[in-house]
PDB file of all heavy atoms in Angstrom:
ATOM      1  N   LYS J  74       5.820  35.753  -2.137  1.00  0.00           N
ATOM      2  CA  LYS J  74       5.923  36.819  -3.131  1.00  0.00           C
ATOM      3  C   LYS J  74       5.159  36.436  -4.392  1.00  0.00           C
ATOM      4  O   LYS J  74       4.354  37.221  -4.903  1.00  0.00           O
ATOM      5  CB  LYS J  74       7.407  37.055  -3.452  1.00  0.00           C
ATOM      6  CG  LYS J  74       7.699  38.339  -4.176  1.00  0.00           C
ATOM      7  CD  LYS J  74       9.187  38.456  -4.496  1.00  0.00           C
ATOM      8  CE  LYS J  74      10.006  38.811  -3.270  1.00  0.00           C
ATOM      9  NZ  LYS J  74      11.467  38.743  -3.526  1.00  0.00           N
ATOM     10  N   PRO J  89       3.398  43.699 -13.364  1.00  0.00           N
ATOM     11  CA  PRO J  89       4.039  43.363 -14.641  1.00  0.00           C
ATOM     12  C   PRO J  89       3.828  41.876 -14.956  1.00  0.00           C
ATOM     13  O   PRO J  89       3.675  41.070 -14.030  1.00  0.00           O
ATOM     14  CB  PRO J  89       5.522  43.647 -14.396  1.00  0.00           C
ATOM     15  CG  PRO J  89       5.602  44.442 -13.145  1.00  0.00           C
ATOM     16  CD  PRO J  89       4.364  44.165 -12.359  1.00  0.00           C
ATOM     17  N   SER J 142      13.315  40.286 -14.171  1.00  0.00           N
ATOM     18  CA  SER J 142      14.036  40.056 -12.920  1.00  0.00           C
ATOM     19  C   SER J 142      13.811  38.608 -12.519  1.00  0.00           C
ATOM     20  O   SER J 142      12.838  37.981 -12.925  1.00  0.00           O
ATOM     21  CB  SER J 142      13.540  40.994 -11.819  1.00  0.00           C
ATOM     22  OG  SER J 142      12.165  40.804 -11.570  1.00  0.00           O
ATOM     23  N   ARG J 144      13.595  36.626  -9.118  1.00  0.00           N
ATOM     24  CA  ARG J 144      13.487  36.975  -7.700  1.00  0.00           C
ATOM     25  C   ARG J 144      13.184  35.765  -6.844  1.00  0.00           C
ATOM     26  O   ARG J 144      12.332  34.959  -7.183  1.00  0.00           O
ATOM     27  CB  ARG J 144      12.367  38.001  -7.488  1.00  0.00           C
ATOM     28  CG  ARG J 144      12.358  39.117  -8.484  1.00  0.00           C
ATOM     29  CD  ARG J 144      11.071  39.912  -8.456  1.00  0.00           C
ATOM     30  NE  ARG J 144      10.857  40.633  -7.216  1.00  0.00           N
ATOM     31  CZ  ARG J 144       9.738  41.284  -6.919  1.00  0.00           C
ATOM     32  NH1 ARG J 144       8.714  41.268  -7.785  1.00  0.00           N
ATOM     33  NH2 ARG J 144       9.600  41.911  -5.776  1.00  0.00           N
ATOM     34  N   SER J 145      13.837  35.699  -5.700  1.00  0.00           N
ATOM     35  CA  SER J 145      13.549  34.623  -4.764  1.00  0.00           C
ATOM     36  C   SER J 145      12.257  34.960  -4.013  1.00  0.00           C
ATOM     37  O   SER J 145      11.841  36.111  -3.963  1.00  0.00           O
ATOM     38  CB  SER J 145      14.685  34.508  -3.766  1.00  0.00           C
ATOM     39  OG  SER J 145      14.882  35.756  -3.138  1.00  0.00           O
ATOM     40  N   PRO J 152      13.213  38.956   4.324  1.00  0.00           N
ATOM     41  CA  PRO J 152      13.670  40.118   3.550  1.00  0.00           C
ATOM     42  C   PRO J 152      15.181  40.151   3.387  1.00  0.00           C
ATOM     43  O   PRO J 152      15.922  40.105   4.345  1.00  0.00           O
ATOM     44  CB  PRO J 152      13.170  41.314   4.351  1.00  0.00           C
ATOM     45  CG  PRO J 152      12.525  40.782   5.573  1.00  0.00           C
ATOM     46  CD  PRO J 152      12.413  39.310   5.471  1.00  0.00           C
ATOM     47  N   GLY J 153      15.595  40.209   2.135  1.00  0.00           N
ATOM     48  CA  GLY J 153      17.014  40.373   1.826  1.00  0.00           C
ATOM     49  C   GLY J 153      17.880  39.162   2.103  1.00  0.00           C
ATOM     50  O   GLY J 153      19.091  39.220   1.956  1.00  0.00           O
ATOM     51  N   MET J 155      17.702  36.109   0.661  1.00  0.00           N
ATOM     52  CA  MET J 155      18.063  35.337  -0.525  1.00  0.00           C
ATOM     53  C   MET J 155      18.286  36.317  -1.671  1.00  0.00           C
ATOM     54  O   MET J 155      18.302  37.507  -1.473  1.00  0.00           O
ATOM     55  CB  MET J 155      16.981  34.327  -0.833  1.00  0.00           C
ATOM     56  CG  MET J 155      17.014  33.169   0.143  1.00  0.00           C
ATOM     57  SD  MET J 155      15.704  32.022  -0.186  1.00  0.00           S
ATOM     58  CE  MET J 155      14.295  33.056  -0.033  1.00  0.00           C
ATOM     59  N   THR J 157      18.189  38.113  -5.636  1.00  0.00           N
ATOM     60  CA  THR J 157      17.373  38.612  -6.741  1.00  0.00           C
ATOM     61  C   THR J 157      18.322  39.196  -7.769  1.00  0.00           C
ATOM     62  O   THR J 157      19.298  39.860  -7.403  1.00  0.00           O
ATOM     63  CB  THR J 157      16.405  39.697  -6.227  1.00  0.00           C
ATOM     64  OG1 THR J 157      15.343  39.052  -5.518  1.00  0.00           O
ATOM     65  CG2 THR J 157      15.814  40.493  -7.368  1.00  0.00           C
ATOM     66  N   LEU J 159      18.285  41.600 -11.198  1.00  0.00           N
ATOM     67  CA  LEU J 159      17.453  42.472 -12.034  1.00  0.00           C
ATOM     68  C   LEU J 159      18.071  42.623 -13.426  1.00  0.00           C
ATOM     69  O   LEU J 159      19.259  42.364 -13.615  1.00  0.00           O
ATOM     70  CB  LEU J 159      17.335  43.855 -11.388  1.00  0.00           C
ATOM     71  CG  LEU J 159      16.763  43.910  -9.974  1.00  0.00           C
ATOM     72  CD1 LEU J 159      16.736  45.352  -9.474  1.00  0.00           C
ATOM     73  CD2 LEU J 159      15.374  43.299  -9.914  1.00  0.00           C
ATOM     74  N   VAL J 291       9.883  38.196 -13.498  1.00  0.00           N
ATOM     75  CA  VAL J 291       8.963  39.320 -13.652  1.00  0.00           C
ATOM     76  C   VAL J 291       9.491  40.280 -14.706  1.00  0.00           C
ATOM     77  O   VAL J 291      10.673  40.670 -14.649  1.00  0.00           O
ATOM     78  CB  VAL J 291       8.825  40.094 -12.314  1.00  0.00           C
ATOM     79  CG1 VAL J 291       7.709  41.121 -12.414  1.00  0.00           C
ATOM     80  CG2 VAL J 291       8.586  39.142 -11.157  1.00  0.00           C
ATOM     81  N   ALA J 292       8.620  40.645 -15.637  1.00  0.00           N
ATOM     82  CA  ALA J 292       9.020  41.631 -16.651  1.00  0.00           C
ATOM     83  C   ALA J 292       9.485  42.899 -15.940  1.00  0.00           C
ATOM     84  O   ALA J 292       8.809  43.401 -15.043  1.00  0.00           O
ATOM     85  CB  ALA J 292       7.846  41.941 -17.573  1.00  0.00           C
ATOM     86  N   MET J 293      10.643  43.429 -16.357  1.00  0.00           N
ATOM     87  CA  MET J 293      11.186  44.616 -15.690  1.00  0.00           C
ATOM     88  C   MET J 293      10.341  45.857 -16.000  1.00  0.00           C
ATOM     89  O   MET J 293       9.923  46.070 -17.129  1.00  0.00           O
ATOM     90  CB  MET J 293      12.619  44.897 -16.177  1.00  0.00           C
ATOM     91  CG  MET J 293      13.688  44.003 -15.626  1.00  0.00           C
ATOM     92  SD  MET J 293      13.818  43.970 -13.831  1.00  0.00           S
ATOM     93  CE  MET J 293      14.197  45.675 -13.445  1.00  0.00           C
ATOM     94  N   VAL J 294      10.120  46.646 -14.968  1.00  0.00           N
ATOM     95  CA  VAL J 294       9.619  48.005 -15.176  1.00  0.00           C
ATOM     96  C   VAL J 294      10.664  48.926 -14.556  1.00  0.00           C
ATOM     97  O   VAL J 294      11.363  48.535 -13.625  1.00  0.00           O
ATOM     98  CB  VAL J 294       8.235  48.213 -14.527  1.00  0.00           C
ATOM     99  CG1 VAL J 294       7.186  47.421 -15.276  1.00  0.00           C
ATOM    100  CG2 VAL J 294       8.243  47.813 -13.064  1.00  0.00           C
ATOM    101  N   GLY J 329      14.458  50.005  -7.800  1.00  0.00           N
ATOM    102  CA  GLY J 329      14.018  49.417  -6.541  1.00  0.00           C
ATOM    103  C   GLY J 329      15.012  49.383  -5.407  1.00  0.00           C
ATOM    104  O   GLY J 329      14.788  49.986  -4.356  1.00  0.00           O
ATOM    105  N   GLU J 330      16.133  48.744  -5.633  1.00  0.00           N
ATOM    106  CA  GLU J 330      17.019  48.479  -4.502  1.00  0.00           C
ATOM    107  C   GLU J 330      17.587  49.755  -3.894  1.00  0.00           C
ATOM    108  O   GLU J 330      18.031  49.743  -2.766  1.00  0.00           O
ATOM    109  CB  GLU J 330      18.160  47.570  -4.929  1.00  0.00           C
ATOM    110  CG  GLU J 330      17.989  47.041  -6.328  1.00  0.00           C
ATOM    111  CD  GLU J 330      19.176  47.352  -7.190  1.00  0.00           C
ATOM    112  OE1 GLU J 330      20.218  46.773  -6.898  1.00  0.00           O
ATOM    113  OE2 GLU J 330      19.058  48.169  -8.125  1.00  0.00           O
ATOM    114  N   VAL J 333      15.906  50.654  -0.477  1.00  0.00           N
ATOM    115  CA  VAL J 333      16.238  49.795   0.653  1.00  0.00           C
ATOM    116  C   VAL J 333      17.697  49.973   1.059  1.00  0.00           C
ATOM    117  O   VAL J 333      18.044  49.976   2.239  1.00  0.00           O
ATOM    118  CB  VAL J 333      15.942  48.318   0.307  1.00  0.00           C
ATOM    119  CG1 VAL J 333      16.163  47.432   1.509  1.00  0.00           C
ATOM    120  CG2 VAL J 333      14.509  48.191  -0.194  1.00  0.00           C
ATOM    121  N   GLU J 374       5.876  47.098  -2.406  1.00  0.00           N
ATOM    122  CA  GLU J 374       6.930  47.678  -3.235  1.00  0.00           C
ATOM    123  C   GLU J 374       6.277  48.108  -4.534  1.00  0.00           C
ATOM    124  O   GLU J 374       5.454  47.373  -5.070  1.00  0.00           O
ATOM    125  CB  GLU J 374       8.005  46.633  -3.540  1.00  0.00           C
ATOM    126  CG  GLU J 374       8.821  46.235  -2.328  1.00  0.00           C
ATOM    127  CD  GLU J 374       9.850  45.148  -2.637  1.00  0.00           C
ATOM    128  OE1 GLU J 374       9.997  44.765  -3.817  1.00  0.00           O
ATOM    129  OE2 GLU J 374      10.485  44.687  -1.687  1.00  0.00           O
ATOM    130  N   THR J 376       6.797  50.609  -8.335  1.00  0.00           N
ATOM    131  CA  THR J 376       7.675  51.374  -9.217  1.00  0.00           C
ATOM    132  C   THR J 376       6.801  52.161 -10.177  1.00  0.00           C
ATOM    133  O   THR J 376       5.755  51.684 -10.604  1.00  0.00           O
ATOM    134  CB  THR J 376       8.640  50.424  -9.968  1.00  0.00           C
ATOM    135  OG1 THR J 376       9.678  50.038  -9.071  1.00  0.00           O
ATOM    136  CG2 THR J 376       9.275  51.106 -11.172  1.00  0.00           C
ATOM    137  N   LEU J 385       4.995  45.708  -7.339  1.00  0.00           N
ATOM    138  CA  LEU J 385       6.008  44.668  -7.472  1.00  0.00           C
ATOM    139  C   LEU J 385       5.994  43.684  -6.320  1.00  0.00           C
ATOM    140  O   LEU J 385       6.617  42.630  -6.375  1.00  0.00           O
ATOM    141  CB  LEU J 385       7.389  45.304  -7.573  1.00  0.00           C
ATOM    142  CG  LEU J 385       7.609  46.022  -8.905  1.00  0.00           C
ATOM    143  CD1 LEU J 385       8.913  46.776  -8.880  1.00  0.00           C
ATOM    144  CD2 LEU J 385       7.562  45.026 -10.060  1.00  0.00           C
ATOM    145  N   GLN J 386       5.292  43.994  -5.265  1.00  0.00           N
ATOM    146  CA  GLN J 386       5.253  43.062  -4.137  1.00  0.00           C
ATOM    147  C   GLN J 386       4.240  43.534  -3.119  1.00  0.00           C
ATOM    148  O   GLN J 386       4.024  44.736  -2.947  1.00  0.00           O
ATOM    149  CB  GLN J 386       6.633  42.997  -3.462  1.00  0.00           C
ATOM    150  CG  GLN J 386       6.742  41.892  -2.429  1.00  0.00           C
ATOM    151  CD  GLN J 386       8.183  41.664  -2.004  1.00  0.00           C
ATOM    152  OE1 GLN J 386       9.117  42.062  -2.690  1.00  0.00           O
ATOM    153  NE2 GLN J 386       8.372  41.030  -0.876  1.00  0.00           N
ATOM    154  N   ARG J 388       3.010  42.066   0.964  1.00  0.00           N
ATOM    155  CA  ARG J 388       3.063  40.995   1.975  1.00  0.00           C
ATOM    156  C   ARG J 388       2.555  41.564   3.289  1.00  0.00           C
ATOM    157  O   ARG J 388       2.510  42.791   3.463  1.00  0.00           O
ATOM    158  CB  ARG J 388       4.483  40.482   2.135  1.00  0.00           C
ATOM    159  CG  ARG J 388       5.429  41.554   2.604  1.00  0.00           C
ATOM    160  CD  ARG J 388       6.867  41.070   2.690  1.00  0.00           C
ATOM    161  NE  ARG J 388       7.747  42.208   2.878  1.00  0.00           N
ATOM    162  CZ  ARG J 388       8.978  42.305   2.412  1.00  0.00           C
ATOM    163  NH1 ARG J 388       9.507  41.321   1.727  1.00  0.00           N
ATOM    164  NH2 ARG J 388       9.703  43.373   2.632  1.00  0.00           N
TER     165      ARG J 388
HETATM  166  P1  ADP X1111      13.569  41.216  -1.749  1.00  0.00           P
HETATM  167  O1  ADP X1111      12.767  40.016  -1.468  1.00  0.00           O
HETATM  168  O2  ADP X1111      14.924  41.183  -1.159  1.00  0.00           O
HETATM  169  O3  ADP X1111      12.805  42.480  -1.482  1.00  0.00           O
HETATM  170  P2  ADP X1111      12.877  41.509  -4.501  1.00  0.00           P
HETATM  171  O4  ADP X1111      12.758  40.279  -5.306  1.00  0.00           O
HETATM  172  O5  ADP X1111      11.601  42.087  -4.009  1.00  0.00           O
HETATM  173  O6  ADP X1111      13.867  41.217  -3.307  1.00  0.00           O
HETATM  174  O7  ADP X1111      13.658  42.544  -5.422  1.00  0.00           O
HETATM  175  C1  ADP X1111      14.617  43.481  -5.020  1.00  0.00           C
HETATM  176  C2  ADP X1111      14.281  44.866  -5.566  1.00  0.00           C
HETATM  177  O8  ADP X1111      14.135  44.852  -6.970  1.00  0.00           O
HETATM  178  C3  ADP X1111      12.983  45.385  -5.026  1.00  0.00           C
HETATM  179  O9  ADP X1111      13.114  46.726  -4.745  1.00  0.00           O
HETATM  180  C4  ADP X1111      12.019  45.173  -6.147  1.00  0.00           C
HETATM  181  O10 ADP X1111      10.962  46.080  -6.113  1.00  0.00           O
HETATM  182  C5  ADP X1111      12.889  45.371  -7.374  1.00  0.00           C
HETATM  183  N1  ADP X1111      12.385  44.604  -8.514  1.00  0.00           N
HETATM  184  C6  ADP X1111      12.221  43.274  -8.573  1.00  0.00           C
HETATM  185  N2  ADP X1111      11.686  42.884  -9.728  1.00  0.00           N
HETATM  186  C7  ADP X1111      11.500  44.016 -10.464  1.00  0.00           C
HETATM  187  C8  ADP X1111      10.968  44.282 -11.761  1.00  0.00           C
HETATM  188  N3  ADP X1111      10.514  43.295 -12.544  1.00  0.00           N
HETATM  189  N4  ADP X1111      10.926  45.539 -12.179  1.00  0.00           N
HETATM  190  C9  ADP X1111      11.392  46.529 -11.383  1.00  0.00           C
HETATM  191  N5  ADP X1111      11.907  46.361 -10.155  1.00  0.00           N
HETATM  192  C10 ADP X1111      11.953  45.108  -9.687  1.00  0.00           C
END
Side-chain angles (χ1 to χ4, degrees):
K74 195 182 285 172
S142 60
R144 315 166 65 187
S145 55
M155 286 178 302
T157 284
L159 302 179
V291 189
M293 284 303 299
V294 291
E330 353 125 68
V333 185
E374 291 178 5
T376 282
L385 289 173
Q386 189 168 341
R388 61 183 168 213

